[in-house]
Amino acid sequence: RLAANEKKDGYDLFARDLYACAGPLADKRRTRNPFRMSHGYARSCPEIAPLFDYCPATPTAAYEGDLPWLN
């Protein structure tokens, strides 16, 4: 039963929205961050800032920007 719930409430949702940009995953993220705190990775490593801001129009589209660890 736990595995089925994890699949339904986790895996299946991310399969439809890889970056949690909309719907229940985005709602969950907002409720877990009531003070709207943010990490400093985009400032400390601007090379990956576009990855953190990525929310594609097609929720299953993979990020195609540059990733420094692949260069």
Side-chain angles (χ1 to χ4, degrees):
R1 181 164 168 97
L2 179 61
N5 285 339
E6 188 63 29
K7 183 177 182 308
K8 176 180 67 89
D9 297 331
Y11 179 84
D12 290 346
L13 293 174
F14 276 106
R16 292 190 302 268
D17 183 6
L18 295 178
Y19 301 92
C21 292
L25 291 173
D27 294 341
K28 183 186 245 184
R29 185 173 49 209
R30 279 190 291 275
T31 62
R32 290 183 172 180
N33 189 8
F35 301 110
R36 299 181 188 233
M37 304 289 287
S38 64
H39 56 74
Y41 299 130
R43 284 190 305 278
S44 65
C45 188
E47 298 86 359
I48 60 172
L51 175 61
F52 287 113
D53 295 331
Y54 185 67
C55 272
T58 304
T60 55
Y63 180 74
E64 294 182 4
D66 290 330
L67 298 171
W69 52 88
L70 296 178
N71 296 330

